[in-house]
Amino acid sequence: MSEALPASLAPFVEPCAGPSLRSETASASRAAGLVEALRRARKAAAAVPGEVADAQDRLERRIRAHLTHGRVQVTLTDNRYTMISVRRIGARDDRGGAAAGGAGGVAGKARRYEVRLHHMFADADPVITRALAHYIADNDADASRILGDFIDANSGHVRGRSRRAPTQLILTAGEHHDLRAIFDELNAQYFDNRIDAAITWGPRSGRPRRRNSIKMGSYSVEDRLIRIHRSLDRAFVPRFFVAWIVFHEMLHQIHDIRVKNGRREFHSKEFLAAEAGFELYEQAKLWERRHLDALLTY
């Protein structure tokens, strides 16, 4: 994990970053080697291979050159559905004080970013590494568009293109709950790490208002994408309740939607039985009944 350079040194132009025209063959060979190493490690649940660790370190150094504060840790992946995932830890504002409600925000600790990037970014040019830094630190809209274009242009690097692999720029760390941590824990505890999906918070809404209903979670079969309503990312909502909603959506990857009497059946008897296997199922249902009005006001 690398410390950020002082603000006085930014912005920084990488003089030799990214492959030159003369090194395209070497870059392609290096990319192929990364893919193979990532797949071997995933299959054997082995430690990170040396070539992958080296590529992660290089990309960390290049991204941090464009950061004015904080530390960044990069993990390269071969994920088909999530190209970028950012988790912010110990968030602080620019004045050095603890940011209000930052994910895992702790006074006295520097902001840290845990970033999961598809391996297509390993040899990205300086424009892309700068956009990564701006997106990671500030969720910058212009940077997001640049990265989206880069992902679309490099979609051939994504395995399993027979299925649609959407561009996903995801911030899993909310103000109070980190969806990636919850998803990973549930995947290990209940699914033997077999659920292959992306997860993100839904879009922010406007002015708070009282709704008649709320869809707390959804699962897109085509995109393999779980969305969780932002109403759940509030201080009064317990983590076990968010986990129950995430667990429910993860089950949709295992239980197919059936057609019964001409109508789609989203929650079969088997689905509901599996959902009841959630460790805190009864507590979650009770909490929902008692706090539904507060959840609907968002």
Side-chain angles (χ1 to χ4, degrees):
M1 198 173 300
S2 308
E3 294 289 344
L5 294 179
S8 60
L9 295 183
F12 174 80
V13 177
E14 300 163 88
C16 301
S20 67
L21 290 176
R22 292 173 298 176
S23 64
E24 287 181 357
T25 301
S27 179
S29 176
R30 185 164 55 249
L34 276 178
V35 173
E36 182 58 30
L38 284 166
R39 291 176 182 175
R40 281 200 318 269
R42 185 179 62 252
K43 201 170 190 179
V48 177
E51 59 265 51
V52 176
D54 290 343
Q56 290 175 169
D57 289 343
R58 286 196 303 270
L59 191 51
E60 275 182 25
R61 290 195 298 271
R62 297 174 59 212
I63 292 172
R64 72 165 184 179
H66 301 288
L67 292 174
T68 58
H69 56 266
R71 297 179 294 168
V72 61
Q73 179 183 21
V74 169
T75 299
L76 292 174
T77 77
D78 191 30
N79 194 291
R80 285 177 289 177
Y81 304 101
T82 303
M83 305 298 104
I84 303 175
S85 175
V86 181
R87 183 183 179 197
R88 294 170 173 171
I89 302 173
R92 297 173 64 85
D93 62 25
D94 292 334
R95 296 165 297 178
V106 179
K109 289 193 175 182
R111 178 180 292 187
R112 179 160 59 92
Y113 308 102
E114 290 185 357
V115 187
R116 296 171 65 85
L117 295 171
H118 190 273
H119 61 77
M120 70 171 69
F121 289 97
D123 286 320
D125 64 38
V127 172
I128 300 304
T129 53
R130 181 171 58 189
L132 281 170
H134 290 176
Y135 178 76
I136 289 165
D138 305 312
N139 199 18
D140 182 84
D142 290 334
S144 177
R145 283 191 289 272
I146 291 170
L147 295 173
D149 290 343
F150 176 82
I151 292 169
D152 289 341
N154 289 272
S155 59
H157 291 287
V158 180
R159 63 189 172 94
R161 290 299 294 180
S162 58
R163 291 183 63 92
R164 184 161 61 97
T167 296
Q168 291 297 337
L169 307 179
I170 289 176
L171 284 170
T172 56
E175 294 183 0
H176 300 281
H177 300 290
D178 176 29
L179 291 178
R180 196 175 88 199
I182 292 172
F183 177 92
D184 288 346
E185 289 173 14
L186 293 172
N187 208 6
Q189 181 178 353
Y190 293 99
F191 301 100
D192 196 26
N193 291 314
R194 290 181 290 111
I195 302 299
D196 181 13
I199 187 167
T200 187
W201 290 106
R204 297 183 184 277
S205 60
R207 184 180 302 175
R209 61 184 177 86
R210 174 64 163 77
R211 293 166 167 77
N212 293 323
S213 64
I214 182 174
K215 190 168 187 173
M216 288 183 283
S218 66
Y219 174 69
S220 169
V221 176
E222 293 82 6
D223 296 343
R224 294 200 178 191
L225 176 65
I226 295 170
R227 292 187 186 275
I228 302 299
H229 200 285
R230 287 269 181 181
S231 176
L232 274 61
D233 187 31
R234 290 187 281 175
F236 77 90
V237 182
R239 191 176 190 274
F240 73 82
F241 184 76
V242 180
W244 178 48
I245 301 301
V246 173
F247 178 75
H248 176 101
E249 301 308 331
M250 293 172 78
L251 286 173
H252 280 295
Q253 191 169 111
I254 295 177
H255 297 270
D256 292 332
I257 300 171
R258 299 175 180 174
V259 177
K260 191 173 182 179
N261 298 324
R263 301 184 65 179
R264 290 183 298 171
E265 185 180 54
F266 292 94
H267 303 120
S268 64
K269 290 181 179 179
E270 293 80 6
F271 182 103
L272 296 175
E275 183 185 31
F278 181 69
E279 186 176 11
L280 298 176
Y281 176 75
E282 293 299 336
Q283 293 94 317
K285 287 181 67 69
L286 178 61
W287 189 92
E288 180 184 28
R289 288 196 297 271
R290 290 177 174 175
H291 298 86
L292 184 58
D293 191 69
L295 288 173
L296 289 171
T297 305
Y298 179 76

